[in-house]
Amino acid sequence: MPPAVDNSCYVQFKNVKKSYDQRTLVVVDFTLDIAKGEFVTLLGPSGSGKTTCLMMLAGFEDVSSGEILVEGQPITHIAPYHRNIGMVFQHYALFPHMTVEENLAYPLKVRKLPDTEVKRRVADSLDLVELSNFGKRYPGHLSGGQRQRVALARSLIFEPSIVLMDEPLGALDKNLREQMQFEIKRLHEQLGFTAIYVTHDQTEALTMSDRIAVFDQGVVQQCASPDQLYERPSNAFVADFIGENNHLAGTVLQRNNDYTELQLSDGSRVKALTGDCPEAGAACVLAVRPENLFIASDKVALDNRINATFITQLYVGDFIRYFFQLEDKSEIMIKQLNDHQAPKLSAGAVTSLTWSVNDGLALNLSTT
Ligand code: ADP
Ligand code: MG
């Protein structure tokens, strides 16, 4: 009897390291288990090692040390072509001299599928990405979004169990990008492949992924579900990279596993959830999201309070950003829904801002 397949470890990166020049590591010590059918995103700034991780899984780059396994089997010695992995890149990489149908048929012909099967799959595949009337066109006569749908269809046509996507929507404008995000999610749910997606766009990562691995300088800073990453970032880099955060400098007064009391640099004392902050006496940073801060009033009074001077506001449409200065001259921004209750303040007005203990996070000063 074959060994039972552990679907929670369908793809495994085990202590993977990569150096291109035998000196600097661009992937430092990457360990990640990806479940069958999961949608995992590698998110991080440019140059943080995301593409390198995909290339090693696809077999286009060697690992310098460590191991990559699929279904429990090391794949290091398997040629890229035999890994049965679909790939989509930012620049579609369609063959310009072939029609859409010919582009789609190509991976099947390489795999020597019979003509009738090729025909059937090409038709199904065009249907899947809603391009049935475009089979005879050349890529040059398609819009950017249509070309990317063909690239997507081509990566799926040989029914790979793993699909790698490297910034596939990077070249598209915002509306089309959002439409394609939806499209990719639909295909993922319908076909059930394991998706490993690369982007530097945190909104895209949050909306599409089951889990996100946040990269910085070749190191995974945190790997968690979108809501965990947003609500409990494990360090200041993630707190800053995912969504928006105010960072207020302070010193730890007292810390336990759940809560930390700190003194901010304007002298005020506040309480926050304990993140990776250091022990009492050490410098730390308080992270509070702009949507969790409120202008204090008789009706709005939460546990923490700090004096602030209003500087200016920015009208965004569905919400308004208010900018304040604290007594130590540091700046803080709050975001309020534009719901007719949004307060009107004049420059120089002194007020206080308030927030809940559970909406602040005490963190170590960022090391990057
Ligand atoms: P990302 O996809 O996150 O932008 P990459 O994996 O492309 O990052 O790159 C990580 C680092 O490795 C960068 O510093 C980049 O310059 C370097 N790098 C990437 N590919 C090569 C290569 N083929 N040869 C040498 N250095 C490379
Ligand atoms: Mg890249």
Side-chain angles (χ1 to χ4, degrees):
M1 209 168 77
V5 176
D6 180 355
N7 281 340
S8 67
C9 302
Y10 190 64
V11 178
Q12 293 174 283
F13 288 86
K14 277 192 173 168
N15 303 103
V16 171
K17 296 182 185 170
K18 175 68 180 179
S19 175
Y20 287 104
D21 59 5
Q22 276 84 50
R23 281 185 300 129
T24 41
L25 288 175
V26 299
V27 174
V28 176
D29 190 358
F30 182 40
T31 294
L32 181 67
D33 290 346
I34 298 169
K36 192 170 173 64
E38 200 177 8
F39 195 114
V40 170
T41 295
L42 313 184
L43 171 71
S46 172
S48 57
K50 310 177 299 290
T51 295
T52 301
C53 290
L54 285 196
M55 288 299 154
M56 291 189 289
L57 175 54
F60 298 122
E61 286 292 346
D62 294 332
V63 300
S64 302
S65 74
E67 211 169 29
I68 302 176
L69 302 101
V70 174
E71 287 188 285
Q73 299 301 313
I75 56 166
T76 317
H77 301 294
I78 303 177
Y81 163 76
H82 289 295
R83 293 189 187 191
N84 201 31
I85 293 176
M87 295 200 70
V88 194
F89 304 96
Q90 177 170 346
H91 298 289
Y92 332 101
L94 297 175
F95 299 116
H97 59 283
M98 291 185 189
T99 64
V100 168
E101 280 176 355
E102 288 162 353
N103 266 284
L104 291 175
Y106 184 80
L108 303 177
K109 294 204 160 147
V110 172
R111 287 170 174 78
K112 304 205 167 29
L113 263 72
D115 281 351
T116 48
E117 180 66 7
V118 172
K119 250 191 147 147
R120 185 187 66 78
R121 286 216 205 171
V122 167
D124 285 354
S125 171
L126 283 169
D127 214 29
L128 190 69
V129 295
E130 290 160 10
L131 285 176
S132 295
N133 297 327
F134 294 83
K136 303 280 185 251
R137 291 226 193 155
Y138 286 89
H141 296 146
L142 296 175
S143 71
Q146 290 167 336
R147 276 198 289 251
Q148 201 52 297
R149 266 156 54 203
V150 177
L152 199 58
R154 192 179 60 175
S155 77
L156 298 170
I157 201 161
F158 58 94
E159 299 173 355
S161 55
I162 301 168
V163 180
L164 310 183
M165 292 177 258
D166 194 352
E167 313 237 7
L169 311 181
L172 307 179
D173 66 34
K174 187 170 172 287
N175 283 344
L176 200 51
R177 211 160 60 218
E178 283 170 5
Q179 198 184 320
M180 285 297 294
Q181 288 169 3
F182 183 73
E183 202 63 356
I184 291 173
K185 282 302 288 176
R186 177 180 68 83
L187 291 170
H188 173 248
E189 269 154 38
Q190 194 175 335
L191 304 174
F193 53 85
T194 303
I196 307 178
Y197 193 92
V198 161
T199 182
H200 63 271
D201 179 340
Q202 44 114 357
T203 314
E204 188 163 293
L206 289 175
T207 50
M208 298 185 75
S209 322
D210 295 319
R211 270 191 310 155
I212 302 168
V214 182
F215 274 68
D216 185 39
Q217 299 182 19
V219 179
V220 175
Q221 302 292 319
Q222 186 173 4
C223 181
S225 63
D227 56 332
Q228 268 178 306
L229 273 188
Y230 193 82
E231 282 155 33
R232 289 306 292 263
S234 64
N235 60 39
F237 177 83
V238 178
D240 217 31
F241 199 75
I242 310 281
E244 292 176 305
N245 246 314
N246 289 290
H247 289 284
L248 305 179
T251 310
V252 178
L253 296 173
Q254 206 181 321
R255 185 191 76 172
N256 67 29
N257 282 344
D258 300 321
Y259 293 103
T260 296
E261 273 180 356
L262 46 138
Q263 182 156 39
L264 298 180
S265 46
D266 71 344
S268 55
R269 290 180 169 215
V270 297
K271 203 170 162 188
L273 293 170
T274 301
D276 72 339
C277 75
E279 289 177 15
C284 70
V285 57
L286 171 72
V288 195
R289 295 211 179 269
E291 70 268 26
N292 293 329
L293 278 159
F294 301 92
I295 297 164
S297 68
D298 296 346
K299 287 190 211 122
V300 189
L302 299 162
D303 337 76
N304 291 313
R305 205 176 243 268
I306 187 175
N307 291 333
T309 305
F310 176 68
I311 305 171
T312 188
Q313 70 183 52
L314 206 66
Y315 182 82
V316 186
D318 53 348
F319 63 91
I320 299 174
R321 290 177 194 276
Y322 296 85
F323 295 86
F324 293 87
Q325 195 172 61
L326 304 183
E327 283 167 9
D328 67 344
K329 305 286 180 228
S330 60
E331 281 191 10
I332 191 164
M333 188 261 291
I334 78 174
K335 228 166 130 177
Q336 303 252 283
L337 274 183
N338 185 10
D339 62 356
H340 304 290
Q341 288 166 26
K344 299 206 174 9
L345 294 171
S346 42
V350 177
T351 180
S352 52
L353 304 179
T354 183
W355 69 97
S356 157
V357 164
N358 293 313
D359 286 329
L361 195 57
L363 299 168
N364 209 336
L365 294 170
S366 180
T367 48
T368 53

